[in-house]
Amino acid sequence: MGGLSVTSRRILETKYRISETAMALFLEEGYENVTVEAVAEASRVSRRTVFRHFESKDELAFPDHTERIGLVQRCLLDADPDTDPVEAVIAATEESLRDFLSRPELVLRRYKLARVVPELRKREVIEHERYVTLTRSFLRDRLPPDTPSFQPIALAALVDAIHRSALGDWARSGGATDAVAALEAGMEWVRRLMVHQSAFSTAPLLLAVLPDAPQTRRVLSSLKDAAEELL
C-alpha cells in the first residue's frame, strides 16, 4: 500500500478490518448464523459502509482480490512488448503470489473457512477464474498469430493450476512450506515444456526400421528415459 494516498490507505484498511471481523465471526458462530448487520456492528461501521466495500455477504472473505486483479493487469500491461508473453504471465503470477503472502493470516483464515463453507468455496473458484480470464486474454493477444487456439487456454489454466497448488500447499501446511520456491519450480517446468514444444514443432522427423533384438530394445528404452527426463 506504499503508493496509495492517506485517504485510499484508510479506505483499504477499513475494508480489510471489516473482512477480518466477518471471517472471525464466521468461524466462531457459523457462516449461516452471521448477518451483514452483525458484521457491521462488530466492525463499528454502518451497514451502508459494509455494502460500499462488498456487494454481498459471500464477498466479505475476499477483500484483496479486486486489488490483486489490478496488480496482475498492471504487470501485464507494463510488460515490454518484446518480452515473451508466457514470461510476462509468469512474472505477473509470481507478483500475485507475493501479494497473497503479504497478508498470511487473511489467506490462512480464508482457506480454513472455504473448506467448511460451500458458498465461500464457490466464490473462491469464481475469483480464481478472473485471473485465468485475464491471462488467457493476454496470451491470446500476444502469442504469434499461428498459435493453435487451444494454447492460450491451456497455458493460462496450467499457470493458474501451479499457482493454486503452491498457495494451497502453503495454506494446508499453516504457512510452513515455501510457496514462492514451489511456484518458481513449477514455472521452470512450464518453460521446459515450451522449449521442447518449440523444438519438436520445428525439428525434422527421423523414421527408421530397426531389427527387433535385445540390443535395439535397450537403446530404445534408454532414448525413452532420456526424453522423459527432458520433459
Side-chain angles (χ1 to χ4, degrees):
M1 294 190 296
L4 298 176
S5 67
V6 173
T7 301
S8 296
R9 192 178 302 116
R10 285 176 179 167
I11 290 172
L12 200 54
E13 285 173 354
T14 299
K15 183 177 183 181
Y16 276 100
R17 181 164 55 81
I18 293 169
S19 176
E20 288 162 1
T21 300
M23 285 194 283
L25 288 173
F26 293 159
L27 285 170
E28 290 170 9
E29 302 178 18
Y31 179 79
E32 295 295 339
N33 299 323
V34 177
T35 64
V36 172
E37 288 76 12
V39 172
E41 182 178 351
S43 304
R44 297 182 180 179
V45 297
S46 67
R47 186 175 184 273
R48 179 180 298 178
T49 298
V50 173
F51 281 114
R52 187 180 302 137
H53 293 290
F54 303 95
E55 291 184 4
S56 61
K57 180 180 171 180
D58 65 357
E59 285 191 3
L60 284 166
F62 302 94
D64 50 338
H65 278 277
T66 297
E67 284 75 21
R68 191 170 300 111
I69 283 288
L71 171 65
V72 172
Q73 191 166 32
R74 288 193 301 275
C75 288
L76 295 176
L77 290 174
D78 292 345
D80 191 290
D82 295 329
T83 300
D84 181 277
V86 177
E87 286 296 334
V89 168
I90 288 174
T93 302
E94 290 173 345
E95 282 298 311
S96 172
L97 179 64
R98 290 188 184 93
D99 194 60
F100 265 112
L101 299 179
S102 68
R103 286 184 177 268
E105 289 305 317
L106 171 66
V107 177
L108 292 173
R109 190 179 293 119
R110 179 167 57 215
Y111 178 82
K112 184 177 179 180
L113 267 172
R115 306 285 77 74
V116 296
V117 180
E119 292 88 347
L120 296 183
R121 180 59 180 158
K122 290 175 185 175
R123 188 75 203 186
E124 192 174 55
V125 172
I126 291 170
E127 293 297 335
H128 275 292
E129 184 57 31
R130 294 172 66 192
Y131 294 99
V132 180
T133 300
L134 185 59
T135 55
R136 181 173 62 224
S137 175
F138 176 83
L139 290 169
R140 187 179 289 124
D141 292 341
R142 293 292 189 94
L143 286 170
D146 59 347
T147 298
S149 59
F150 67 82
Q151 198 167 98
I153 300 171
L155 283 169
L158 178 59
V159 169
D160 180 66
I162 294 170
H163 176 232
R164 282 201 280 175
S165 174
L167 187 61
D169 288 346
W170 178 85
R172 278 188 292 274
S173 73
T177 65
D178 190 339
V180 173
L183 181 68
E184 289 174 346
M187 294 309 156
E188 280 303 312
W189 181 67
V190 172
R191 290 184 179 101
R192 290 199 300 274
L193 285 178
M194 295 301 294
V195 167
H196 291 301
Q197 175 196 307
S198 176
F200 292 148
S201 65
T202 58
L205 294 176
L206 174 63
L207 299 178
V209 178
L210 302 172
D212 186 3
Q215 184 178 4
T216 304
R217 289 177 178 272
R218 284 196 298 272
V219 172
L220 290 175
S221 178
S222 141
L223 288 172
K224 179 183 176 184
D225 291 342
E228 288 177 349
E229 287 178 8
L230 287 173
L231 294 172

